[in-house]
Amino acid sequence: MPSQPDLPEPAHPNIDSMLTRKFGKEVANYFAGSPLNRVSFLRTDQGFLSAAFRHSTTSFLLLNSLAPLAHNPSKLSFASLKDVSPLIGEDPYSKSEEELIQSYNSKITIPQLIFLGLDETKKSGFEWSIYKGAPFFALDITPKGSTEDTAKSLIEEKESKDLKFLEGRTHMSLPAHEAAIYAPARALVDWNGRNPFCAQCGQPTLSINAGWKRTCPPTDMSSVNAAIGGTTDAKPTERPPCATRKGVHNVCFPRTDPTVIMAVLSADCSKILLGRGKRFPPLWYSTLAGFVEPAESVEEAVRREVWEESGITLGRVVIHSTQPWPYPANLMIGAIAQAVPGGEEILLKHDPELEDAKWVSFDEVREALEIGTSGLGEAPGEHYKEGGLRLPPKTAIAHQLLQAVVGGLVNGEAKI
């Protein structure tokens, strides 16, 4: 089994506070704890973006079909401006957003570029007003459209240096700080790629705000034979009217889908409910989870999902912690819940999503957390006892929920 990376430290872990004394230390889950300051208010400042893009300390995370460039599964590789300028140009932020919208040409492929933030641990180098730090961008170099050949050349050049693009559905062996940089990079590149057309009128859209919004331009230069950065006296084609160009809601924002995931206790707090999905490896179980629906509170979603999947009726629900999950755009909201007396009978006939569900003792869960954890498709640790319970790795929020419960939460030795 690959080694499991440490989790990120929560913000200000050593500062005493009333909230920490009352509720316990904050839990920071994998994919959270980014070292970058997103300075989201500067995404509309083309001068800032231009300076950050061109600075010598700037790093670019390259993604090919969402696979990040890396030295190995435990270390990302970052590119320089010299590497990416043949593909994206010397300064893609030289024009204002208004000028970019006016000159929009749907036939020209613009590789998706995302500003991720500033690494403020690196104070020397880039400065903008009162903000200091090394800039980080993500760049989609998937070969396509008018930039296909240039993208292929960049991929070949990187792979010739013994670097690789990490394939696979999830990447959970990266150090926590790199995982927290990769997560928004993947989520934003994926979101932009999934939304090339306007949901209102069906016309192609344009990425703006450093990759964090998309807009539906009113005109299109595709009928005009104009190169990138060139000029022409010809008039662009007027596009059909679109409701998104009226009022304040004239852009498309990245989506985040809230998902609840819960450690469920029996009414007497002696057992924990675990479920087994149909694609899970043998003996591998986890906590139950499901999507929050429109006009539904988190607590209601927890109760509904648990009843639908297992037949268990829940009473009190408490939120424990959250985890960004960029596959493709979820926020896992971790909760701990308790069944009501008389509501503990397992019934799987409502929603056939689970292959099995069962109540498990605290001792069995403790042992599995120590020796039986692994990712899906991975072998358990060397001390695993054949036939024993298997659980998710510590990089999964399910692991942290179970650890909180068996680590003393119920008997008062630990707090949420």
Side-chain angles (χ1 to χ4, degrees):
M1 179 188 71
S3 60
Q4 298 177 22
D6 293 332
L7 297 182
E9 278 284 347
H12 313 297
N14 300 318
I15 295 180
D16 181 47
S17 71
M18 176 275 293
L19 291 176
T20 299
R21 292 193 299 271
K22 187 173 183 64
F23 298 106
K25 183 179 177 181
E26 180 180 328
V27 175
N29 287 294
Y30 196 70
F31 290 128
S34 175
L36 306 183
N37 181 346
R38 299 189 181 199
V39 286
S40 61
F41 47 87
L42 292 176
R43 293 172 188 157
T44 58
D45 188 331
Q46 296 293 97
F48 163 77
L49 294 172
S50 174
F53 177 85
R54 294 179 289 111
H55 200 265
S56 60
T57 63
T58 299
S59 298
F60 296 85
L61 178 58
L62 308 183
L63 293 94
N64 178 18
S65 297
L66 300 180
L69 184 67
H71 296 275
N72 55 60
S74 299
K75 184 177 176 59
L76 293 175
S77 176
F78 293 91
S80 66
L81 175 60
K82 181 180 178 181
D83 296 321
V84 303
S85 57
L87 181 66
I88 194 67
E90 294 294 335
D91 186 4
Y93 300 111
S94 59
K95 294 182 178 180
S96 69
E97 282 195 351
E98 183 179 348
E99 291 173 323
L100 290 172
I101 293 172
Q102 290 175 349
S103 62
Y104 174 67
N105 187 333
S106 61
K107 287 186 178 179
I108 295 176
T109 302
I110 303 175
Q112 187 60 57
L113 183 64
I114 313 288
F115 173 65
L116 298 176
L118 300 176
D119 183 351
E120 294 180 320
T121 64
K122 302 174 181 178
K123 297 293 186 182
S124 61
F126 179 73
E127 296 184 22
W128 186 264
S129 183
I130 62 173
Y131 312 105
K132 300 178 182 180
F136 276 74
F137 288 81
L139 178 63
D140 181 13
I141 64 170
T142 306
K144 54 189 170 185
S146 57
T147 61
E148 180 176 359
D149 291 340
T150 308
K152 285 181 177 178
S153 296
L154 178 54
I155 291 170
E156 291 171 359
E157 188 257 328
K158 289 299 179 183
E159 290 180 334
S160 71
K161 297 179 178 179
D162 204 26
L163 301 173
K164 61 185 72 176
F165 291 90
L166 298 180
E167 303 289 346
R169 196 181 76 85
T170 58
H171 302 294
M172 301 182 73
S173 58
L174 295 170
H177 71 283
E178 289 193 354
I181 293 174
Y182 161 69
R186 188 198 190 282
L188 267 294
V189 168
D190 189 33
W191 170 74
N192 277 279
R194 289 173 184 261
N195 293 272
F197 301 104
C198 177
Q200 177 68 31
C201 70
Q203 295 291 317
T205 54
L206 172 68
S207 175
I208 59 173
N209 279 210
W212 291 81
K213 296 179 185 178
R214 298 191 70 86
T215 190
C216 183
T219 59
D220 191 343
M221 298 286 290
S222 60
S223 60
V224 180
N225 186 22
I228 297 178
T231 60
T232 177
D233 293 330
K235 294 183 178 180
T237 301
E238 293 287 335
R239 305 213 300 185
C242 180
T244 65
R245 301 189 202 115
K246 300 177 181 178
V248 296
H249 301 292
N250 58 351
V251 291
C252 177
F253 293 86
R255 63 182 291 172
T256 294
D257 301 323
T259 306
V260 289
I261 181 167
M262 39 276 174
V264 175
L265 300 170
S266 59
D268 64 359
C269 295
S270 66
K271 298 182 292 292
I272 303 172
L273 179 69
L274 296 177
R276 174 174 162 72
K278 296 177 181 179
R279 64 184 181 88
F280 288 179
L283 305 173
W284 206 91
Y285 283 76
S286 185
T287 54
L288 275 58
F291 287 101
V292 179
E293 295 189 342
E296 183 178 49
S297 72
V298 169
E299 292 82 358
E300 289 172 319
V302 169
R303 295 187 185 99
R304 175 184 56 78
E305 283 287 344
V306 169
W307 180 82
E308 289 179 353
E309 294 185 5
S310 69
I312 304 299
T313 301
L314 297 182
R316 185 75 165 95
V317 175
V318 178
I319 296 175
H320 173 269
S321 63
T322 60
Q323 179 178 35
W325 190 254
Y327 301 104
N330 300 112
L331 177 64
M332 308 292 287
I333 304 170
I336 296 173
Q338 188 174 358
V340 301
E344 299 168 300
E345 181 180 356
I346 293 174
L347 186 65
L348 301 181
K349 70 177 184 180
H350 300 310
D351 183 345
E353 182 174 335
L354 294 180
E355 182 179 270
D356 185 36
K358 63 180 181 179
W359 291 105
V360 181
S361 71
F362 277 33
D363 287 341
E364 188 175 357
V365 171
R366 283 193 189 96
E367 182 178 33
L369 289 172
E370 290 179 4
I371 64 174
T373 63
S374 69
L376 286 172
E378 297 175 352
E382 59 178 332
H383 300 295
Y384 172 71
K385 300 175 184 177
E386 196 62 37
L389 176 66
R390 297 180 59 186
L391 294 173
K394 66 180 180 180
T395 47
I397 189 173
H399 183 113
Q400 300 308 315
L401 294 173
L402 294 172
Q403 190 68 61
V405 171
V406 303
L409 174 66
V410 171
N411 61 22
E413 295 175 4
K415 302 174 184 178
I416 292 178

